[in-house]
Amino acid sequence: MNPNAMLALDLEKITAAIASGTRPNQVLWQTEDSIAFVARGREGRSEFHVDPSDEVMYMIKGDMNLHYRTPEGEEKIAVIKEGQIVYCPAGTPHSPRFSPEAFVLVLERTRHTGEDDRFTWFCDKCGAQLHQSVKHVADYREDPVSRAYEEFYGSEKNRTCARCGHVTPRPPGR
Ligand SMILES: [Zn+2]
């Protein structure tokens, strides 16, 4: 049996551990079929994530503005309040924006061989696509979201709009 099986986990203890640590998330389990992790909000979260798996998000503490893009390319916001849960269908570009003092529980399906996740940034000024990071998420403990942010903020070229020339600034502290 998986070593994480039948282990009751205390979400309050997990959020406290994340709040006092350096890593913005903690993986609860990762098995052949499912992944569960708790994450705090990221300052300046700006990219849209396209997950080949459905996602279920439950706000443990605080509220989230879940930005998403419709198939027509329109940006919308679903507000998920503390204690509320939301289903985000596979393939929906979404950007979970919430404060570092807020925490979400996320449930996903383990990726199949050959499935990739996409992390895409759009220009604030004109809406053109800026940078897209494509990753095969084999092990969530490698923190693929943080790696994608390093690529984006680490390169002025990745942040420069080919259409209008606007350069997306780094948020403070990056
Ligand atoms: Zn632009």
Side-chain angles (χ1 to χ4, degrees):
M1 196 152 66
N2 186 287
N4 293 312
M6 303 304 170
L7 267 184
L9 301 172
D10 189 321
L11 291 173
E12 207 163 311
K13 280 189 190 145
I14 291 161
T15 57
I18 295 170
S20 62
T22 52
R23 208 195 135 100
N25 50 51
Q26 186 177 318
V27 175
L28 308 187
W29 67 81
Q30 191 165 238
T31 72
E32 214 174 290
D33 285 339
S34 70
I35 306 170
F37 62 91
V38 173
R40 73 190 310 180
R42 285 170 195 267
E43 209 84 72
R45 178 127 193 189
S46 49
E47 110 296 351
F48 284 79
H49 176 211
V50 175
D51 191 332
S53 146
D54 281 354
E55 291 189 17
V56 173
M57 289 175 257
Y58 167 73
M59 286 310 288
I60 302 166
K61 185 170 180 247
D63 303 342
M64 171 194 284
N65 282 339
L66 182 58
H67 292 238
Y68 64 100
R69 296 172 77 93
T70 66
E72 293 72 39
E74 192 188 347
E75 185 171 330
K76 294 195 167 180
I77 302 173
V79 178
I80 322 301
K81 293 188 184 296
E82 181 172 306
Q84 292 187 327
I85 190 167
V86 70
Y87 157 63
C88 176
T92 307
H94 62 281
S95 186
R97 300 180 189 176
F98 56 112
S99 99
E101 283 74 50
F103 295 87
V104 67
L105 169 67
V106 182
L107 305 174
E108 301 176 355
R109 169 176 66 63
T110 301
R111 310 302 190 268
H112 299 150
T113 310
E115 273 187 339
D116 289 321
D117 285 52
R118 285 181 287 142
F119 302 91
T120 309
W121 280 265
F122 296 91
C123 176
D124 285 342
K125 288 276 182 291
C126 78
Q129 185 174 313
L130 289 179
H131 174 66
Q132 185 170 71
S133 175
V134 180
K135 300 213 173 305
H136 176 65
V137 179
D139 184 349
Y140 208 88
R141 287 168 302 181
E142 288 164 7
D143 201 357
V145 180
S146 292
R147 300 292 85 75
Y149 272 79
E150 285 162 9
E151 276 174 38
F152 182 65
Y153 287 120
S155 156
E156 188 167 301
K157 184 173 170 286
N158 286 346
R159 290 183 282 116
T160 303
C161 179
R163 185 153 82 189
C164 77
H166 175 68
V167 181
T168 301
R170 282 200 195 94
R174 280 209 192 250

